[in-house]
Amino acid sequence: MTITTITNRMLPAALAALMAPLLAAGACAAPSGTLSDTGATTAAPAAAQTPVSAAAPLSVADPWVKTARSGMSAAFATLVNTTGEAVTVVTASTPVSPSVELHEVVGDGGTTTMRRKEGGIVIPAGGRHVLQPGGDHIMLMNVRKAIEPGTEVPFTLTLKDGRTVSFTAVAKDFAGANESYAPHE
C-alpha cells in the first residue's frame, strides 16, 4: 500500500472520530460538510477538501543560490531528515535552469573537480547533510536568465520514493569554489 492509499483510507475515519464529540456536545454551528457512508465529504468548503499530506520527510534549512548572469550556478542548504529512515534525494529542478544535477566535489592531486553524485544524496535517519561550496551541492547549468542578488529561486527535490520537497533559495554573491567541471563522471 502507498502512503496516499493509507492516508485516503484513514483520513475520513480520523475526521469522523474528531467530529463526533463536537456534534454530540451540540456545537454552536453545524459543520459545513458532512461525511457520507463512503467517507467522502459533501458540500464542504474548498479548504476542507484539500488533501492532508504526511509530514515532509525532509526540511531545508538556510537555502541560498549563487548569483549568475548566465552559464552555471549552484544552490546550497542543510538538508534535515525528519524521519526514522534514510532519505535519498535523487534529482532537483528549478525553473531558472533546464539542466540541474546533484554534484559532489572530489580532490585529485591538489586540484578539485565537481561531478555528478551517483546514487543521489543520502541523508541518514534523523540526520542532516550540508550542501556547501567545495562540497556536495545542486548544480544549475545553462541558467536561462540572470540570478540577481536577493532573487528568490524556487527548487523542487525529488526523493527516491517519488515524494517531492519544495523550497525557495535566496540569491547571494559568492566568488569562491572555482572547481572545474567533469561532465559524465
Side-chain angles (χ1 to χ4, degrees), residues 1-7 52-60 80-93 102 121 123 125-126 155-167:
M1 258 189 214
T2 66
I3 291 175
T4 303
T5 302
I6 292 169
T7 302
V52 176
S53 62
L58 197 64
S59 66
V60 181
V80 181
N81 183 341
T82 60
T83 73
E85 298 179 8
V87 171
T88 303
V89 177
V90 293
T91 63
S93 63
L102 302 176
I121 296 172
I123 303 93
F155 285 86
T156 300
L157 304 176
T158 301
L159 309 181
K160 187 175 183 178
D161 65 7
R163 291 184 286 179
T164 60
V165 175
S166 296
F167 67 95

Short mmCIF file of all heavy atoms in Angstrom, two decimals, residues 1-7 52-60 80-93 102 121 123 125-126 155-167:
data_model
loop_
_atom_site.label_atom_id
_atom_site.label_comp_id
_atom_site.label_asym_id
_atom_site.label_seq_id
_atom_site.Cartn_x
_atom_site.Cartn_y
_atom_site.Cartn_z
N MET A 1 0.83 -1.18 0.00
CA MET A 1 0.00 0.00 0.00
C MET A 1 0.87 1.24 0.00
O MET A 1 1.89 1.27 0.66
CB MET A 1 -0.83 0.02 1.28
CG MET A 1 -2.23 -0.40 1.10
SD MET A 1 -3.12 -0.07 2.62
CE MET A 1 -4.21 -1.42 2.55
N THR A 2 0.46 2.25 -0.69
CA THR A 2 1.21 3.51 -0.71
C THR A 2 0.76 4.39 0.43
O THR A 2 -0.30 4.18 1.02
CB THR A 2 1.00 4.26 -2.04
OG1 THR A 2 -0.36 4.66 -2.10
CG2 THR A 2 1.37 3.41 -3.23
N ILE A 3 1.55 5.41 0.74
CA ILE A 3 1.18 6.36 1.79
C ILE A 3 -0.12 7.06 1.42
O ILE A 3 -0.98 7.28 2.27
CB ILE A 3 2.31 7.37 2.02
CG1 ILE A 3 3.50 6.66 2.66
CG2 ILE A 3 1.86 8.54 2.87
CD1 ILE A 3 4.72 7.50 2.85
N THR A 4 -0.29 7.38 0.13
CA THR A 4 -1.51 8.04 -0.32
C THR A 4 -2.73 7.16 -0.06
O THR A 4 -3.75 7.63 0.43
CB THR A 4 -1.42 8.40 -1.81
OG1 THR A 4 -0.27 9.22 -1.99
CG2 THR A 4 -2.65 9.12 -2.28
N THR A 5 -2.62 5.85 -0.37
CA THR A 5 -3.73 4.93 -0.16
C THR A 5 -4.07 4.84 1.32
O THR A 5 -5.23 4.90 1.71
CB THR A 5 -3.38 3.53 -0.72
OG1 THR A 5 -3.08 3.66 -2.10
CG2 THR A 5 -4.54 2.57 -0.53
N ILE A 6 -3.03 4.70 2.16
CA ILE A 6 -3.26 4.61 3.60
C ILE A 6 -3.91 5.90 4.10
O ILE A 6 -4.88 5.87 4.85
CB ILE A 6 -1.94 4.34 4.33
CG1 ILE A 6 -1.43 2.93 3.98
CG2 ILE A 6 -2.10 4.49 5.84
CD1 ILE A 6 -0.03 2.65 4.43
N THR A 7 -3.39 7.06 3.67
CA THR A 7 -3.95 8.34 4.09
C THR A 7 -5.40 8.47 3.64
O THR A 7 -6.25 8.90 4.41
CB THR A 7 -3.11 9.51 3.52
OG1 THR A 7 -1.77 9.36 3.98
CG2 THR A 7 -3.66 10.84 3.96
N VAL A 52 -4.78 16.26 2.99
CA VAL A 52 -3.80 16.43 4.06
C VAL A 52 -2.62 15.52 3.73
O VAL A 52 -2.79 14.34 3.48
CB VAL A 52 -4.41 16.04 5.42
CG1 VAL A 52 -3.37 16.13 6.52
CG2 VAL A 52 -5.60 16.92 5.73
N SER A 53 -1.41 16.09 3.69
CA SER A 53 -0.25 15.28 3.36
C SER A 53 0.48 14.91 4.64
O SER A 53 0.40 15.58 5.65
CB SER A 53 0.69 16.05 2.42
OG SER A 53 1.16 17.21 3.07
N ALA A 54 1.21 13.82 4.57
CA ALA A 54 2.03 13.40 5.69
C ALA A 54 3.13 14.44 5.89
O ALA A 54 3.46 15.20 4.98
CB ALA A 54 2.63 12.03 5.38
N ALA A 55 3.68 14.47 7.07
CA ALA A 55 4.77 15.41 7.36
C ALA A 55 5.90 15.22 6.35
O ALA A 55 6.21 14.09 5.96
CB ALA A 55 5.28 15.19 8.77
N ALA A 56 6.49 16.30 5.93
CA ALA A 56 7.58 16.24 4.96
C ALA A 56 8.73 15.43 5.55
O ALA A 56 9.10 15.63 6.70
CB ALA A 56 8.04 17.64 4.59
N PRO A 57 9.31 14.52 4.76
CA PRO A 57 10.41 13.70 5.25
C PRO A 57 11.73 14.47 5.36
O PRO A 57 12.68 13.99 5.94
CB PRO A 57 10.51 12.59 4.21
CG PRO A 57 9.99 13.23 2.96
CD PRO A 57 8.93 14.19 3.40
N LEU A 58 11.74 15.66 4.80
CA LEU A 58 12.98 16.43 4.71
C LEU A 58 12.66 17.90 4.88
O LEU A 58 11.71 18.40 4.29
CB LEU A 58 13.56 16.19 3.30
CG LEU A 58 15.00 16.52 3.02
CD1 LEU A 58 15.93 15.65 3.84
CD2 LEU A 58 15.28 16.29 1.54
N SER A 59 13.44 18.58 5.69
CA SER A 59 13.32 20.04 5.75
C SER A 59 14.61 20.63 5.20
O SER A 59 15.66 19.99 5.22
CB SER A 59 13.03 20.53 7.17
OG SER A 59 14.12 20.29 8.02
N VAL A 60 14.50 21.84 4.70
CA VAL A 60 15.63 22.51 4.06
C VAL A 60 15.92 23.77 4.85
O VAL A 60 15.08 24.67 4.91
CB VAL A 60 15.33 22.82 2.58
CG1 VAL A 60 16.52 23.50 1.91
CG2 VAL A 60 14.94 21.55 1.83
N VAL A 80 17.70 18.33 6.29
CA VAL A 80 17.47 17.70 7.58
C VAL A 80 16.41 16.61 7.41
O VAL A 80 15.28 16.89 7.00
CB VAL A 80 17.01 18.74 8.63
CG1 VAL A 80 16.79 18.06 9.98
CG2 VAL A 80 18.04 19.86 8.75
N ASN A 81 16.79 15.38 7.73
CA ASN A 81 15.88 14.24 7.64
C ASN A 81 15.02 14.22 8.90
O ASN A 81 15.52 14.10 10.00
CB ASN A 81 16.70 12.95 7.52
CG ASN A 81 15.84 11.71 7.36
OD1 ASN A 81 14.65 11.72 7.67
ND2 ASN A 81 16.44 10.64 6.89
N THR A 82 13.71 14.33 8.73
CA THR A 82 12.78 14.37 9.85
C THR A 82 12.16 13.01 10.14
O THR A 82 11.18 12.93 10.88
CB THR A 82 11.67 15.41 9.58
OG1 THR A 82 10.96 15.02 8.39
CG2 THR A 82 12.24 16.81 9.42
N THR A 83 12.72 11.95 9.54
CA THR A 83 12.15 10.61 9.70
C THR A 83 13.13 9.67 10.41
O THR A 83 14.28 10.03 10.65
CB THR A 83 11.80 9.97 8.34
OG1 THR A 83 13.00 9.58 7.67
CG2 THR A 83 11.01 10.93 7.47
N GLY A 84 12.68 8.48 10.67
CA GLY A 84 13.50 7.44 11.30
C GLY A 84 14.17 6.55 10.28
O GLY A 84 14.72 5.51 10.65
N GLU A 85 14.12 6.90 9.01
CA GLU A 85 14.75 6.11 7.95
C GLU A 85 15.58 7.03 7.07
O GLU A 85 15.29 8.22 6.96
CB GLU A 85 13.69 5.43 7.09
CG GLU A 85 12.83 4.43 7.83
CD GLU A 85 11.78 3.79 6.94
OE1 GLU A 85 11.82 4.01 5.71
OE2 GLU A 85 10.92 3.09 7.47
N ALA A 86 16.59 6.47 6.41
CA ALA A 86 17.40 7.26 5.49
C ALA A 86 16.51 7.79 4.35
O ALA A 86 15.57 7.12 3.93
CB ALA A 86 18.53 6.42 4.91
N VAL A 87 16.80 9.00 3.90
CA VAL A 87 16.09 9.62 2.78
C VAL A 87 17.12 9.93 1.71
O VAL A 87 18.19 10.46 2.02
CB VAL A 87 15.38 10.93 3.23
CG1 VAL A 87 14.82 11.69 2.05
CG2 VAL A 87 14.29 10.62 4.25
N THR A 88 16.81 9.59 0.46
CA THR A 88 17.73 9.85 -0.64
C THR A 88 17.12 10.84 -1.62
O THR A 88 16.03 10.62 -2.15
CB THR A 88 18.08 8.54 -1.40
OG1 THR A 88 18.62 7.60 -0.46
CG2 THR A 88 19.09 8.79 -2.50
N VAL A 89 17.84 11.94 -1.87
CA VAL A 89 17.45 12.92 -2.89
C VAL A 89 18.06 12.44 -4.19
O VAL A 89 19.28 12.25 -4.28
CB VAL A 89 17.95 14.33 -2.54
CG1 VAL A 89 17.59 15.32 -3.64
CG2 VAL A 89 17.42 14.79 -1.20
N VAL A 90 17.24 12.22 -5.22
CA VAL A 90 17.75 11.70 -6.49
C VAL A 90 17.82 12.74 -7.60
O VAL A 90 18.64 12.61 -8.51
CB VAL A 90 16.97 10.45 -6.97
CG1 VAL A 90 17.20 9.27 -6.03
CG2 VAL A 90 15.48 10.74 -7.11
N THR A 91 16.97 13.76 -7.55
CA THR A 91 17.03 14.83 -8.55
C THR A 91 16.59 16.14 -7.93
O THR A 91 15.97 16.17 -6.87
CB THR A 91 16.12 14.57 -9.78
OG1 THR A 91 14.75 14.52 -9.36
CG2 THR A 91 16.49 13.29 -10.51
N ALA A 92 16.93 17.22 -8.63
CA ALA A 92 16.49 18.56 -8.25
C ALA A 92 16.08 19.28 -9.52
O ALA A 92 16.56 18.96 -10.61
CB ALA A 92 17.61 19.31 -7.54
N SER A 93 15.20 20.27 -9.38
CA SER A 93 14.79 21.07 -10.53
C SER A 93 14.49 22.49 -10.08
O SER A 93 14.21 22.74 -8.91
CB SER A 93 13.57 20.45 -11.22
OG SER A 93 12.47 20.44 -10.34
N LEU A 102 22.71 16.90 -9.16
CA LEU A 102 23.26 16.81 -7.82
C LEU A 102 24.75 16.55 -8.00
O LEU A 102 25.14 15.62 -8.71
CB LEU A 102 22.61 15.67 -7.05
CG LEU A 102 21.09 15.76 -6.91
CD1 LEU A 102 20.55 14.52 -6.22
CD2 LEU A 102 20.68 17.02 -6.18
N ILE A 121 21.90 11.98 -3.05
CA ILE A 121 22.40 12.43 -1.76
C ILE A 121 21.59 11.74 -0.67
O ILE A 121 20.37 11.89 -0.62
CB ILE A 121 22.28 13.97 -1.64
CG1 ILE A 121 23.17 14.63 -2.69
CG2 ILE A 121 22.63 14.43 -0.23
CD1 ILE A 121 22.99 16.13 -2.81
N ILE A 123 20.57 11.22 3.18
CA ILE A 123 20.53 11.88 4.47
C ILE A 123 20.12 10.80 5.48
O ILE A 123 19.05 10.21 5.37
CB ILE A 123 19.53 13.06 4.51
CG1 ILE A 123 19.88 14.09 3.41
CG2 ILE A 123 19.58 13.75 5.85
CD1 ILE A 123 19.15 13.89 2.13
N ALA A 125 18.88 8.66 8.79
CA ALA A 125 17.70 8.80 9.65
C ALA A 125 17.97 9.81 10.75
O ALA A 125 18.98 9.72 11.45
CB ALA A 125 17.34 7.45 10.26
N GLY A 126 17.11 10.81 10.86
CA GLY A 126 17.24 11.83 11.88
C GLY A 126 18.47 12.70 11.75
O GLY A 126 18.78 13.50 12.62
N PHE A 155 12.94 25.76 -5.89
CA PHE A 155 13.55 24.46 -6.20
C PHE A 155 12.60 23.36 -5.78
O PHE A 155 11.82 23.53 -4.83
CB PHE A 155 14.86 24.26 -5.43
CG PHE A 155 16.01 25.05 -5.96
CD1 PHE A 155 16.22 26.36 -5.56
CD2 PHE A 155 16.89 24.49 -6.88
CE1 PHE A 155 17.28 27.10 -6.05
CE2 PHE A 155 17.95 25.22 -7.37
CZ PHE A 155 18.15 26.52 -6.96
N THR A 156 12.69 22.22 -6.45
CA THR A 156 11.98 21.02 -6.04
C THR A 156 12.98 19.87 -6.02
O THR A 156 13.68 19.64 -7.00
CB THR A 156 10.81 20.69 -6.99
OG1 THR A 156 9.90 21.79 -6.99
CG2 THR A 156 10.09 19.42 -6.56
N LEU A 157 13.03 19.17 -4.89
CA LEU A 157 13.85 17.97 -4.76
C LEU A 157 12.94 16.77 -4.92
O LEU A 157 11.84 16.74 -4.36
CB LEU A 157 14.51 17.91 -3.38
CG LEU A 157 15.38 19.10 -2.98
CD1 LEU A 157 15.89 18.92 -1.54
CD2 LEU A 157 16.53 19.28 -3.95
N THR A 158 13.39 15.76 -5.67
CA THR A 158 12.63 14.52 -5.79
C THR A 158 13.38 13.44 -5.03
O THR A 158 14.59 13.27 -5.20
CB THR A 158 12.46 14.11 -7.27
OG1 THR A 158 11.79 15.17 -7.95
CG2 THR A 158 11.66 12.82 -7.39
N LEU A 159 12.65 12.74 -4.17
CA LEU A 159 13.24 11.70 -3.34
C LEU A 159 13.14 10.35 -4.03
O LEU A 159 12.35 10.16 -4.97
CB LEU A 159 12.54 11.66 -1.99
CG LEU A 159 12.44 13.00 -1.26
CD1 LEU A 159 11.74 12.83 0.09
CD2 LEU A 159 13.80 13.64 -1.09
N LYS A 160 13.93 9.40 -3.57
CA LYS A 160 13.97 8.06 -4.18
C LYS A 160 12.59 7.40 -4.20
O LYS A 160 12.27 6.68 -5.14
CB LYS A 160 14.96 7.19 -3.40
CG LYS A 160 15.23 5.85 -4.00
CD LYS A 160 16.30 5.12 -3.21
CE LYS A 160 16.64 3.80 -3.85
NZ LYS A 160 17.72 3.12 -3.09
N ASP A 161 11.74 7.68 -3.19
CA ASP A 161 10.42 7.06 -3.15
C ASP A 161 9.37 7.83 -3.97
O ASP A 161 8.20 7.51 -3.94
CB ASP A 161 9.95 6.90 -1.70
CG ASP A 161 9.74 8.22 -0.98
OD1 ASP A 161 9.82 9.30 -1.61
OD2 ASP A 161 9.48 8.18 0.24
N GLY A 162 9.81 8.89 -4.68
CA GLY A 162 8.90 9.64 -5.55
C GLY A 162 8.31 10.89 -4.92
O GLY A 162 7.74 11.72 -5.61
N ARG A 163 8.41 11.04 -3.61
CA ARG A 163 7.90 12.25 -2.97
C ARG A 163 8.78 13.44 -3.36
O ARG A 163 9.92 13.27 -3.77
CB ARG A 163 7.88 12.09 -1.44
CG ARG A 163 6.84 11.09 -0.98
CD ARG A 163 6.77 11.01 0.52
NE ARG A 163 7.94 10.28 1.03
CZ ARG A 163 8.18 10.07 2.31
NH1 ARG A 163 7.35 10.54 3.22
NH2 ARG A 163 9.24 9.40 2.68
N THR A 164 8.21 14.63 -3.23
CA THR A 164 8.97 15.84 -3.55
C THR A 164 8.96 16.79 -2.36
O THR A 164 8.05 16.76 -1.54
CB THR A 164 8.39 16.56 -4.78
OG1 THR A 164 7.04 16.92 -4.51
CG2 THR A 164 8.47 15.70 -6.03
N VAL A 165 10.00 17.61 -2.31
CA VAL A 165 10.14 18.64 -1.28
C VAL A 165 10.51 19.92 -2.00
O VAL A 165 11.47 19.95 -2.77
CB VAL A 165 11.23 18.26 -0.26
CG1 VAL A 165 11.45 19.39 0.73
CG2 VAL A 165 10.89 16.96 0.46
N SER A 166 9.74 20.97 -1.79
CA SER A 166 10.00 22.26 -2.44
C SER A 166 10.54 23.26 -1.44
O SER A 166 10.20 23.21 -0.25
CB SER A 166 8.71 22.80 -3.06
OG SER A 166 8.28 21.94 -4.09
N PHE A 167 11.38 24.16 -1.94
CA PHE A 167 11.91 25.23 -1.10
C PHE A 167 12.30 26.39 -1.99
O PHE A 167 12.36 26.26 -3.22
CB PHE A 167 13.11 24.75 -0.27
CG PHE A 167 14.34 24.40 -1.06
CD1 PHE A 167 15.35 25.34 -1.25
CD2 PHE A 167 14.50 23.14 -1.62
CE1 PHE A 167 16.49 25.03 -1.99
CE2 PHE A 167 15.63 22.82 -2.35
CZ PHE A 167 16.63 23.77 -2.53
#
